[in-house]
Amino acid sequence: MTYRRALIPAAVGGALLTLLTLWAGASASALQLQGTGNVFDIESATALRTLLSPWSYSGVSGGALYADLYRTAMQIRFVTLFLFFVAGALLLLRRLPPVQGRTPATLLALWAWAPVAATLAVTVSAPWLIASRGHGSFRVLPQVASVIASGGPVAVVAGLLTAPVMVVLARVMNVDPEPLPRRDVPPLAARLAASAGTAVVALSLVVLSYQSVAAWIQTSFPGEGLLSEPGDLLREWLLLGAWSGPSTTPLGDWLLYRAADVVVLAVVWWALRLLPGLLTEATAPAMAAGAVCATVLGLLAGQFLHWATDDTTTVRGPVSLVAGLGGGVPAALVFGVIAGIAAVVTLRLAGRRDTADAAG
């Protein structure tokens, strides 16, 4: 699928995602209306308002200067959301078109790319948003980390609605009469590439996310002056989770929660195992983008498992499910890119070795 043909579904998807997040942000003020209590309880309404506020234009208080800064931050946020999503969707639709058995993979990849684009958008707009609060010179990096972690849940839901529309449009736009069969990738090379990429993700999920290591990351870089306390920001971009040993909880509960980590790694390995054959060409950018999407999908699967096994979800209601989605996306972006590069390098090295062995 050429970039020209992929541009229309990518642009439509970017516009739809932007409009959905804009509508979600506008709905935050509606939760303050008098009749809201007849639909949501106070706790659910407060949780929803917190989820929607990162995309709301009505979240500023103060003078005209602060209001202007806040509006500028939101304008930058929505524009960059559109641009980041379209850029990633173009690459995915070009290398992973929804034809010849690739449709489910394309659908999942486009869905996973939505929270990634949202994370990049809130990161770019963070300086203006922090300045609009009137205390931009105080603990800047922890404030940036807080802003980055705020926009995921809405983007996950909006992406779930956007991805099917893009897939349908992409199938309509793909009028190429020539079939695109799946690439023939040596099984051993694909497994080695998947294992290398999964090992990179496991470094963050298992090693860096362990309580003592995570605490060291957060507290060992005090910094000085305006950019003091970078630990919160490092934690946001380096850790895919947080866990400790079973000493503070029953072994059965501990194993149940660790099962979610196993699910994450299993999803990542399986996706990276299939990805080289699904891509029309296993280039480094395509593998990196695919690995990022695979890591995000693994996190979502683990978060769904957490929600299903958590006894408190029946008390907190469905809002708790949405609130728990989209966590860890910044780290998934960092380690997903590294995992994709590791996978493609391993794939090429293993492929060359298989070729040399066959020639010998």
Side-chain angles (χ1 to χ4, degrees), residues 24 101 143 212 340 355:
Q143 289 188 75
S212 59
T355 303

Side-chain angles (χ1 to χ4, degrees), residues 38-137:
N38 298 327
V39 181
F40 300 104
D41 57 80
I42 296 177
E43 185 177 345
S44 296
T46 302
L48 278 174
R49 196 178 302 115
T50 301
L51 291 176
L52 300 178
S53 60
W55 305 99
S56 174
Y57 269 88
S58 60
V60 66
S61 60
L65 176 59
Y66 293 149
D68 289 341
L69 284 172
Y70 186 85
R71 282 192 292 269
T72 300
M74 297 309 297
Q75 290 167 0
I76 293 173
R77 179 165 297 185
F78 285 111
V79 170
T80 52
L81 173 65
F82 174 82
L83 294 177
F84 282 128
F85 184 79
V86 170
L90 272 175
L91 177 60
L92 291 172
L93 289 173
R94 172 78 170 108
R95 296 302 180 193
L96 193 63
V99 294
Q100 295 294 327
R102 296 181 174 93
T103 300
T106 308
L107 181 67
L108 292 173
L110 293 173
W111 176 36
W113 186 253
V116 175
T119 296
L120 294 172
V122 298
T123 302
V124 171
S125 63
W128 288 268
L129 186 68
I130 294 171
S132 71
R133 296 171 177 171
H135 46 80
S137 60

Side-chain angles (χ1 to χ4, degrees), residues 194-290:
S195 300
T198 305
V200 173
V201 176
L203 173 65
S204 173
L205 185 66
V206 178
V207 179
L208 300 183
S209 294
Y210 187 67
Q211 190 177 56
S212 59
V213 180
W216 180 85
I217 292 173
Q218 192 166 5
T219 58
S220 296
F221 303 92
E224 295 180 358
L226 183 63
L227 300 180
S228 62
E229 302 182 32
D232 289 348
L233 189 61
L234 288 172
R235 186 184 182 98
E236 189 67 32
W237 287 96
L238 295 179
L239 306 187
L240 283 168
W243 65 284
S244 61
S247 58
T248 58
T249 185
L251 181 60
D253 294 340
W254 183 85
L255 291 174
L256 189 61
Y257 272 84
R258 297 286 68 77
D261 296 337
V262 175
V263 168
V264 174
L265 296 178
V267 170
V268 171
W269 189 89
W270 186 251
L272 292 179
R273 165 67 178 83
L274 297 178
L275 189 61
L278 292 172
L279 294 172
T280 57
E281 185 178 355
T283 61
M287 286 291 291

Side-chain angles (χ1 to χ4, degrees), residues 143-161:
Q143 289 188 75
V144 172
S146 177
V147 171
I148 292 172
S150 64
V154 171
V156 171
V157 178
L160 186 61
L161 300 175

Side-chain angles (χ1 to χ4, degrees), residues 160-207:
L160 186 61
L161 300 175
T162 300
V165 176
M166 297 178 64
V167 167
V168 171
L169 285 176
R171 290 182 68 91
V172 172
M173 294 301 299
N174 188 30
V175 295
D176 194 347
E178 297 182 3
L180 291 172
R182 293 175 61 166
R183 298 175 66 247
D184 186 16
V185 180
L188 178 59
R191 287 193 292 268
L192 289 174
S195 300
T198 305
V200 173
V201 176
L203 173 65
S204 173
L205 185 66
V206 178
V207 179

